[in-house]
Amino acid sequence: MKQSKIDFLRLKAKEIRQEIIIMITRAASGHVGGSMSAVEILVSLYHHIMKHDSQNPNWSERDRFIMGKGHATPVYYAVLADCGYIPKEDLLGFRRPGSYLQGHPKQYTEKGIEVSTGTLGLSLSTTCGMALSAKLKGEKQNYFCLCGDGEIQEGQIWEAAMFANKYKLNNIIAFVDRNYMQSDGYAEDIMPLDPLEPKWEAFGWEVFSIDGHDFEQIINTVEKAKLSEKPVMIIARTIKGKGVSFMENDNTWHGSPPNLETAMRALGELV
Amino acid sequence: MKNIEDIHIIPVVPAPPSSEFGAEQTKKGFADGLIELGKLLPNVVVIDTDVAKATRSADFQKIYPERHFNAGVAEQNMLSVAAGMSIEGFIPFATSFGMFITTRGGDQLRNSICYPKANVKVAATHCGISTGGDGASHQINEDIAICRSFPNLTVIVPGDYEEAKQATIAAAYFKGPVYLRYGRDTYPIVPEIHGKFEIGKSRTIREGTDCTIFTTGIMVSEGIKASDMLKEKGISARVVHLPTVKPLDNEVVIKAAQETKFLVTVEEHSIIGGLGEAIAGVTAEHHPTRVYRIGINDVFGQSGQSQELLDLYGLRSVNIVEKILEVIKK
């Protein structure tokens, strides 16, 4: 990959992180930590990997993105706004009455929001239904789904894992945002998931483990994933709260919004 | 040690009551409706959950194997998969026992299907006490209550085989989420409820001035029988069948409240949250009157032949007649 491309993606990531802080501070509500950990994944998808066109949101051949960890709407909406799906001024409505920018995604295809998600565990199943449909119609696009590591504690995820294997849905490329934290604390304390790779392998998926903040690794791995004959799970090791020193790995920032002063400090680190 | 004579012998249960027009399963109406749809709409697909023989979606599978998917014993996944297929333009019928769909799959039904108005038809079989011997764990007398409360969800409870078939077809042509409630057992054919099925429309089967019997689902034949029995006693009982519980045919309900002295509702469902409370809600606002609810009285069911259980839980014409005579005597 060209250095200039990587520099561009890094700049995008910084802008998205600023927007995340601003949206959540303005709404005085929202999930910072899990949004920050997924920034590089979404930026890679929307600014490099996926075929999509914000001027034609119903384009049938577009790659689809399904946001499993629905509480991370700030990163999702910020990226969609950056790509032109959501007018920037609409971000003012995040988590406010009358806005379509709900705390957890509500389906609105014209604005790039493909699927209603957020109660954890639904996303991979819906992705399976969409990916199976594409197979039946002979369509070639890919279906990208992002799950949280807390989310995959839901039993429904493993129902979907079996289904994707049964119907050989190799048009699914999913990610686990493996930030090792969830609402109540450390994921491995609350409900151990490790060793995670062999779990997915045993369910018939091809598994890759990567650094989820490294653009080159994300992009190169997706290229490999596209050639897989199996559904693919990319376990992306990330840092919750990534990008703001005092938010990193501090679960205070799972679901609490920063106040104005704290937000200014955070933004100071993101210039 | 018990004597052999003391061991309780299961009584021979009479065959299900049949009208002169015969009897058939409502879930067969579902299956035959699906097969019809197979011809009519190439984007109709079916997803089952390892109960394809029991729900009879296997009848469709035999003819259209490439349009039938078995998700295994995983109802939650099935419902969200169906939502995904609807996003891509298919009309999925997601099918399982009503119990597994509405309680285990409640989140998926609400958030994957109802919230985004997914064009999914949720086909619930073995509803009410109809699954019989399986017992309370597999019976569902709370599904109408759950489904009525979900925004965007249309709730249809067909009364016999033919109405089940027509409702299945109508649901596929309706845009948006629909909950279709079928029984496991065989129920009398009721020609009065045949003909074009319109979602949201009731059918007035008997005219009457003293009281109105409202039925939904398989209780329609009992309601008609009750009205005919009352007629012999000089009591004029109107019978209105409401195969669509939501949206309710409010106009007809209010008219009955105005024109007849009291109302009786009959459903193979809990008296909490079902047809009875839907009607009581409408009349309380528009024309307050007495509403007597006949249904499962806030208890869990139990094992037994489903026809026995209808007797046991008082869901027969005689129970309706008894209730009406009791009210009139008061």
Side-chain angles (χ1 to χ4, degrees):
Chain A
M1 262 177 87
K2 278 191 197 155
Q3 189 58 39
S4 60
K5 179 76 189 186
I6 293 174
D7 289 343
F8 168 77
L9 295 173
R10 282 196 184 130
L11 176 66
K12 282 292 166 199
K14 203 162 256 190
E15 288 172 3
I16 297 301
R17 286 200 164 89
Q18 292 166 9
E19 194 63 67
I20 290 168
I21 298 290
I22 293 168
M23 281 170 74
I24 294 172
T25 308
R26 198 192 284 129
S29 165
H31 297 77
V32 187
S35 295
M36 299 292 248
S37 62
V39 169
E40 280 77 12
I41 296 169
L42 266 82
V43 166
S44 302
L45 287 171
Y46 277 90
H47 282 296
H48 188 79
I49 294 168
M50 295 196 325
K51 284 182 297 166
H52 68 110
D53 176 5
S54 62
Q55 298 311 302
N56 189 6
N58 286 303
W59 180 35
S60 63
E61 292 170 31
R62 71 192 184 281
D63 288 326
R64 314 296 205 268
F65 175 73
I66 295 94
M67 185 59 152
K69 44 179 294 184
H71 53 287
T73 41
V75 59
Y76 190 22
Y77 297 160
V79 168
L80 289 175
D82 192 46
C83 291
Y85 288 97
I86 295 173
K88 281 262 161 73
E89 62 271 25
D90 289 4
L91 295 179
L92 291 166
F94 173 61
R95 284 189 173 239
R96 301 298 304 153
S99 168
Y100 59 89
L101 297 178
Q102 292 291 296
H104 293 80
K106 183 181 182 193
Q107 188 180 319
Y108 194 168
T109 317
E110 285 67 28
K111 303 291 182 194
I113 306 168
E114 301 277 5
V115 177
S116 297
T117 55
T119 69
L120 298 175
L122 307 182
S123 59
L124 198 57
S125 300
T126 311
T127 305
C128 285
M130 296 169 81
L132 172 63
S133 300
K135 292 264 180 199
L136 297 174
K137 293 188 282 183
E139 295 175 353
K140 299 289 178 222
Q141 65 275 6
N142 287 301
Y143 288 79
F144 294 94
C145 178
L146 175 63
C147 298
D149 52 358
E151 178 178 22
I152 64 171
Q153 291 163 8
E154 292 278 6
Q156 187 184 353
I157 291 289
W158 302 97
E159 295 181 358
M162 288 186 277
F163 188 92
N165 172 54
K166 175 181 175 184
Y167 289 104
K168 301 191 169 38
L169 302 178
N170 65 342
N171 49 353
I172 295 178
I173 300 173
F175 290 86
V176 175
D177 182 358
R178 186 66 164 130
N179 59 31
Y180 279 93
M181 296 187 106
Q182 56 191 102
S183 185
D184 273 352
Y186 291 102
E188 288 305 295
D189 292 339
I190 288 157
M191 187 50 67
L193 289 163
D194 278 336
L196 190 51
E197 287 81 357
K199 286 190 175 68
W200 286 98
E201 280 163 3
F203 276 74
W205 288 53
E206 184 155 355
V207 184
F208 298 92
S209 285
I210 61 165
D211 174 350
H213 298 303
D214 183 322
F215 286 113
E216 271 187 279
Q217 284 193 38
I218 296 169
I219 289 164
N220 293 338
T221 306
V222 169
E223 282 311 311
K224 276 186 250 168
K226 283 180 183 170
L227 305 174
S228 176
E229 288 175 2
K230 298 173 179 178
V232 170
M233 179 55 77
I234 300 172
I235 297 168
R237 292 181 308 276
T238 59
I239 294 169
K240 199 159 176 173
K242 172 77 175 175
V244 176
S245 60
F246 59 90
M247 289 179 168
E248 289 188 0
N249 288 324
D250 180 350
N251 222 31
T252 316
W253 306 106
H254 170 80
S256 308
N259 59 24
L260 200 54
E261 195 196 330
T262 315
M264 293 308 286
R265 270 174 58 214
L267 289 170
E269 294 191 18
L270 292 167
V271 262
Chain B
M1 183 68 191
K2 279 182 173 178
N3 295 322
I4 190 77
E5 294 91 323
D6 294 337
I7 295 172
H8 186 67
I9 304 291
I10 298 169
V12 176
V13 177
S18 165
S19 69
E20 55 184 300
F21 305 97
E24 186 50 275
Q25 293 171 336
T26 48
K27 67 177 187 179
K28 184 169 193 302
F30 161 54
D32 289 349
L34 276 183
I35 290 165
E36 194 82 21
L37 285 167
K39 279 179 278 176
L40 295 167
L41 296 170
N43 56 341
V44 162
V45 293
V46 177
I47 317 178
D48 206 307
T49 50
D50 193 39
V51 281
K53 288 189 199 100
T55 63
R56 297 197 67 149
S57 81
D59 297 10
F60 175 88
Q61 185 183 18
K62 267 184 215 126
I63 304 169
Y64 300 103
E66 74 291 351
R67 288 159 69 182
H68 185 282
F69 304 91
N70 200 326
V73 191
E75 298 79 13
Q76 303 175 49
N77 181 55
M78 182 237 338
L79 291 166
S80 298
V81 164
M85 296 189 84
S86 78
I87 290 170
E88 298 288 343
F90 286 99
I91 304 175
F93 278 74
T95 185
S96 186
F97 291 12
M99 161 61 212
F100 305 135
I101 286 172
T102 57
T103 60
R104 183 180 294 256
D107 175 14
Q108 292 73 18
L109 176 56
R110 182 182 184 275
N111 286 318
S112 286
I113 295 175
C114 296
Y115 184 33
K117 297 186 192 169
N119 195 24
V120 173
K121 315 307 160 187
V122 180
T125 65
H126 297 63
C127 292
I129 47 81
S130 72
T131 191
D134 288 340
S137 60
H138 285 53
Q139 296 162 358
I140 184 83
N141 297 310
E142 303 86 13
D143 56 329
I144 298 176
I146 292 166
C147 291
R148 268 184 69 220
S149 69
F150 287 168
N152 302 333
L153 188 56
T154 294
V155 182
I156 300 177
V157 191
D160 75 347
Y161 160 80
E162 180 63 23
E163 192 172 56
K165 183 177 166 186
Q166 296 307 327
T168 304
I169 294 167
Y173 282 93
F174 175 86
K175 198 166 163 47
V178 179
Y179 181 78
L180 291 148
R181 186 189 210 243
Y182 310 99
R184 170 183 167 271
D185 213 343
T186 296
Y187 306 101
I189 299 292
V190 182
E192 289 95 328
I193 61 172
H194 298 174
K196 188 173 159 52
F197 184 90
E198 280 184 73
I199 293 173
K201 286 272 184 296
S202 64
R203 296 182 197 269
T204 300
I205 297 167
R206 295 280 188 275
E207 292 298 340
T209 51
D210 291 324
C211 63
T212 303
I213 300 167
F214 287 106
T215 66
T216 193
I218 54 148
M219 287 295 109
V220 61
S221 60
E222 301 293 340
I224 294 170
K225 226 184 289 171
S227 174
D228 294 347
M229 286 157 72
L230 286 162
K231 195 176 177 188
E232 286 170 19
K233 296 179 191 294
I235 296 163
S236 163
R238 183 178 300 185
V239 179
V240 178
H241 175 58
L242 295 137
T244 310
V245 179
K246 184 188 170 186
L248 201 67
D249 192 345
N250 287 357
E251 208 179 303
V252 170
V253 170
I254 295 164
K255 193 161 165 270
Q258 290 164 340
E259 293 175 356
T260 64
K261 297 181 193 97
F262 62 93
L263 313 176
V264 176
T265 63
V266 196
E267 59 197 308
E268 188 205 9
H269 181 272
S270 172
I271 56 167
I272 294 175
L275 176 74
E277 286 195 351
I279 285 175
V282 171
T283 56
E285 282 189 6
H286 296 280
H287 191 89
T289 187
R290 288 171 295 163
V291 179
Y292 298 93
R293 291 167 299 157
I294 294 177
I296 306 287
N297 290 310
D298 193 22
V299 292
F300 284 106
Q302 58 180 303
S303 287
Q305 307 259 2
S306 72
Q307 297 299 331
E308 268 183 312
L309 294 175
L310 292 174
D311 293 339
L312 191 63
Y313 290 104
L315 298 174
R316 293 295 193 194
S317 53
V318 288
N319 307 103
I320 304 169
V321 168
E322 202 174 89
K323 177 52 112 182
I324 290 171
L325 292 176
E326 181 194 312
V327 173
I328 286 174
K329 259 185 226 155
K330 268 184 193 166

